[in-house]
Amino acid sequence: MIRRIVLTVIAVLILGAAAQAAGGDFGLGIIVGEPTGFVGKFYVSRRNAIDGGIAWSLEKNNYMHFHGDYLFHNFDLIQVDEGRMALYFGIGGRIALVDHADDHVGVRFPLGLNYIFENDMFDIFAEIVPIMDIAPETDFDIEGALGARYYF
């Protein structure tokens, strides 16, 4: 338990430092679902971003979850009157710290909708994420969540 708290504090400090350096392209927020926790997103271009999260599964053995994804956004598919809406998809990885004997490593395939408000300071999103665990054994899972971020 102490190990998980220390890892969380370190990750939040790193994400906070990155937010100060990003100048508007970096957002921090929360994600609610399976798992629930904190998320960050950094736009590397107008249509591509890197996101990551630190979260806890409230249903499955109360494990800690770390993930990172590379995302592709399509802002042309859905037109809105104010702000911008994107369909996004990507690929990434996750580590689930269940216990020392049963930690999981897997590949994520996120698919979601992201609404960015007119002032570009807030966004909300909904996603579904198929996961293929590759260690300690091959397994398939699906996670889903809602979230919001504030951009610095």
Side-chain angles (χ1 to χ4, degrees):
M1 180 57 109
I2 298 295
R3 174 181 76 150
R4 292 177 185 187
I5 293 170
V6 170
L7 287 172
T8 301
V9 169
I10 290 170
V12 168
L13 290 174
I14 290 169
L15 289 174
Q20 293 300 318
D25 293 328
F26 186 82
L28 284 176
I30 60 169
I31 190 167
V32 178
E34 182 57 33
T36 297
F38 303 101
V39 291
K41 186 173 190 177
F42 178 69
Y43 280 90
V44 296
S45 72
R46 179 159 163 70
R47 296 185 179 268
N48 299 45
I50 298 169
D51 83 344
I54 303 164
W56 296 265
S57 173
L58 303 175
E59 294 179 5
K60 302 173 186 172
N61 301 324
N62 199 26
Y63 67 81
M64 190 165 197
H65 168 108
F66 298 89
H67 76 263
D69 305 314
Y70 191 84
L71 302 174
F72 303 89
H73 297 75
N74 184 335
F75 289 97
D76 301 326
L77 232 55
I78 304 169
Q79 299 299 315
V80 293
D81 292 334
E82 295 182 15
R84 296 179 291 147
M85 175 81 78
L87 173 69
Y88 67 88
F89 62 94
I91 187 166
R94 76 122 179 213
I95 298 172
L97 302 176
V98 180
D99 59 43
H100 297 299
D102 200 27
D103 293 345
H104 297 273
V105 176
V107 180
R108 293 169 39 96
F109 303 96
L111 175 65
L113 286 174
N114 190 184
Y115 177 75
I116 302 169
F117 289 88
E118 180 114 6
N119 62 9
D120 288 337
M121 293 192 66
F122 295 97
D123 78 354
I124 56 175
F125 64 94
E127 67 182 18
I128 187 165
V129 185
I131 297 173
M132 171 83 109
D133 279 335
I134 55 176
E137 60 187 33
T138 303
D139 192 18
F140 182 77
D141 197 7
I142 294 180
E143 296 177 341
L146 302 173
R149 286 179 288 256
Y150 174 80
Y151 285 82
F152 297 87

